[in-house]
Amino acid sequence: MEFVDEIIETGGPILGSEHMETLRVCMQCGKCTGGCPSGRLTAIRTRKMILSALLNMRDEVLSSDELWLCTTCYTCYERCPRNVKVTDITRTIRNIAGREGYLAKSHRMAASYVIKTGHGVPINDAVKESRKKLGLSEIPPTTHAYKDALKGIQTLAKKTKFDELIDFDWETMNLKE
Ligand code: SF4
Ligand code: SF4
């Protein structure tokens, strides 16, 4: 199967086939790369990644570090003159890469916080202080306040094998290795 078909087939059930089919109409204008805030500071080149996918360069795309440098800000998605759903295509490629063991350490780390705390970015003292200044309760009504809900998230992580996907160690409550 061509990589482009695999991407469309993988994202289709969640995002819709029509949405994913937009990948085929990229005209390589570069407006995605030109507006990418992450690309100003990192090696990510969105146009190149789309071209590599279209050229069936599956291994290169899945194993590239750049794939994980997208912040999913959706700027490219809004700028694309061909309505290529760039960000969602990137997320779908990441899903494929994750399944094949290419998940970036930084993303595995954020995922481990979801299992440990219910949040990819748990609350800290600075956020608590900001919440107080805004007249909000110091702790938000999430898993930070409702510990039983965290047990539900951990059960989901086990049942969906999300813990295995990120190599989570339940004894140390951290990533393995
Ligand atoms: S902006 Fe759209 S058409 Fe232009 S290179 Fe990026 S994805 Fe392709
Ligand atoms: S969604 Fe990702 S690739 Fe697109 S502009 Fe934002 S950081 Fe760049």
Side-chain angles (χ1 to χ4, degrees), residues 109-124 139-154 157 162 166 168 170 173-174:
M109 190 65 81
S112 76
Y113 281 120
V114 173
I115 294 180
K116 284 192 275 190
T117 72
H119 292 259
V121 182
I123 199 161
N124 57 30
I139 306 289
T142 64
T143 47
H144 283 320
Y146 299 99
K147 296 298 173 197
D148 281 353
L150 181 57
K151 283 187 201 140
I153 287 175
Q154 292 174 343
F162 185 66
I166 66 166
F168 189 77
W170 290 97
M173 290 302 282
N174 263 314

Side-chain angles (χ1 to χ4, degrees), residues 36-38 44 46 70-76 87:
C36 176
S38 179
I44 185 171
T46 319
C70 166
T71 62
T72 62
C73 72
Y74 280 84
T75 303
C76 53
T87 316

Side-chain angles (χ1 to χ4, degrees), residues 67-155:
L67 177 60
W68 304 96
L69 298 173
C70 166
T71 62
T72 62
C73 72
Y74 280 84
T75 303
C76 53
Y77 187 104
E78 290 185 0
R79 278 169 63 95
C80 177
R82 282 274 170 98
N83 275 326
V84 179
K85 307 301 184 189
V86 194
T87 316
D88 293 339
I89 288 163
T90 305
R91 291 167 55 218
T92 302
I93 296 173
R94 282 180 175 177
N95 286 347
I96 300 170
R99 284 203 303 252
E100 304 220 350
Y102 289 114
L103 206 53
K105 178 90 185 275
S106 54
H107 285 65
R108 288 173 56 223
M109 190 65 81
S112 76
Y113 281 120
V114 173
I115 294 180
K116 284 192 275 190
T117 72
H119 292 259
V121 182
I123 199 161
N124 57 30
D125 289 343
V127 175
K128 284 183 194 167
E129 198 53 42
S130 299
R131 288 181 61 84
K132 271 201 295 191
K133 280 186 194 150
L134 291 166
L136 299 167
S137 62
E138 193 175 83
I139 306 289
T142 64
T143 47
H144 283 320
Y146 299 99
K147 296 298 173 197
D148 281 353
L150 181 57
K151 283 187 201 140
I153 287 175
Q154 292 174 343
T155 301

Side-chain angles (χ1 to χ4, degrees), residues 22-23 25-34 46-48 50-51 54 76-77 79-86 89:
T22 60
L23 171 56
V25 301
C26 170
M27 61 178 176
Q28 288 291 294
C29 69
K31 276 197 81 174
C32 48
T33 296
T46 319
R47 182 192 64 81
K48 181 181 157 218
I50 296 284
L51 179 63
L54 289 168
C76 53
Y77 187 104
R79 278 169 63 95
C80 177
R82 282 274 170 98
N83 275 326
V84 179
K85 307 301 184 189
V86 194
I89 288 163

